Amino acid sequence: MWNRIGNKLRMLFLWLCALFLFRGWTVSAAVAESAENYEMGEEFEGGMEYGGEVRMFRFALSEKSHVTLYLTCNGRSCTGAIYNLAGQEVLRKEDLEFKANFFTGWSSAELSRTLALGTYYLEIENKGKWKWQKCRFSFRVQAERQIRLEKGVLESLESKASGQLAVSCRPVEEAIGYRIQYTQDEQFQKGVKMVYAKSPVEIIKDLAKGVRYYVKICPYTVYDDGTYVYGQNSFVKTEITKP
């Protein structure tokens, strides 16, 4: 008897799960049907007539990309999120931090994520407190090819002058510079200082004289939105500065 009851409960649970998935798929299909096509990089301006209204925009990525959403609205009356085809929120509205311009009355936010190739949906929602509250907004979605930098290679480390270190590393394609970290602590746990060099060769000055230093380098670049991209740190080299 108890076995029969258990089997029926399991069947009911599976039926409810299937119903939930079916309803979710129906909602996704409806969203895809009503979405407006959006051209990447385009500055779009629009509005919504009442609180709670939602507009959806469809865009596609041809390769894995660094994607940035720039969103502006009057007051704090709207928000945005990006979903993939499976309905997962890959850029969450909760992560958008709006900054208000008290002179214009508009607020703006930007947020970046790395997304795989595929089709995505941008949701813009009117968060007005009242049904009649209108919302004006503008947005732009910018995509840059994902950049992967090679591991840094510290080719030479010498002390050619008193209290100085000459650092030379292997050039890395697409890197705009090299982060040099140096310290007197072999474990890099304390006293770590950094220099951002624009070329593969750099002279570090004003160091303690006759002291052993540990050095490692890392290539880096910057996306258009200001996000830094780093390769891997090189192996550590050590050298004693000239007295």
Side-chain angles (χ1 to χ4, degrees), residues 12-156:
L12 177 61
F13 174 75
L14 292 173
W15 181 82
L16 289 172
C17 289
L19 178 62
F20 175 78
L21 291 173
F22 174 76
R23 291 182 63 188
W25 171 254
T26 303
V27 171
S28 297
V31 167
E33 183 78 18
S34 62
E36 305 169 50
N37 288 324
Y38 171 74
E39 190 71 30
M40 294 294 294
E42 173 190 354
E43 189 77 28
F44 184 94
E45 296 184 2
M48 288 176 278
E49 296 298 319
Y50 57 87
E53 185 179 356
V54 172
R55 289 181 67 175
M56 301 293 293
F57 300 87
R58 182 193 302 107
F59 65 91
L61 298 176
S62 59
E63 59 182 343
K64 192 171 185 179
S65 305
H66 179 82
V67 176
T68 305
L69 168 65
Y70 301 91
L71 176 61
T72 304
C73 61
N74 58 330
R76 294 179 178 270
S77 57
C78 74
T79 188
I82 294 177
Y83 298 86
N84 61 17
L85 275 175
Q88 298 171 317
E89 196 175 8
V90 294
L91 188 150
R92 305 190 320 147
K93 56 177 71 73
E94 292 83 1
D95 295 332
L96 281 172
E97 296 182 4
F98 283 89
K99 295 180 181 178
N101 186 321
F102 294 102
F103 296 101
T104 64
W106 286 66
S107 298
S108 60
E110 65 177 78
L111 189 61
S112 300
R113 291 289 183 268
T114 298
L115 303 179
L117 82 166
T119 301
Y120 293 88
Y121 294 90
L122 168 63
E123 175 190 81
I124 304 294
E125 178 186 0
N126 184 352
K127 292 183 62 180
K129 294 181 180 179
W130 300 281
K131 191 72 174 175
W132 46 265
Q133 188 168 350
K134 295 183 180 181
C135 168
R136 297 293 303 171
F137 66 89
S138 67
F139 72 85
R140 177 167 55 91
V141 181
Q142 195 73 40
E144 296 181 72
R145 177 181 57 82
Q146 186 188 30
I147 300 174
R148 292 187 180 276
L149 297 176
E150 297 177 5
K151 181 176 180 177
V153 176
L154 181 51
E155 293 189 322
S156 69

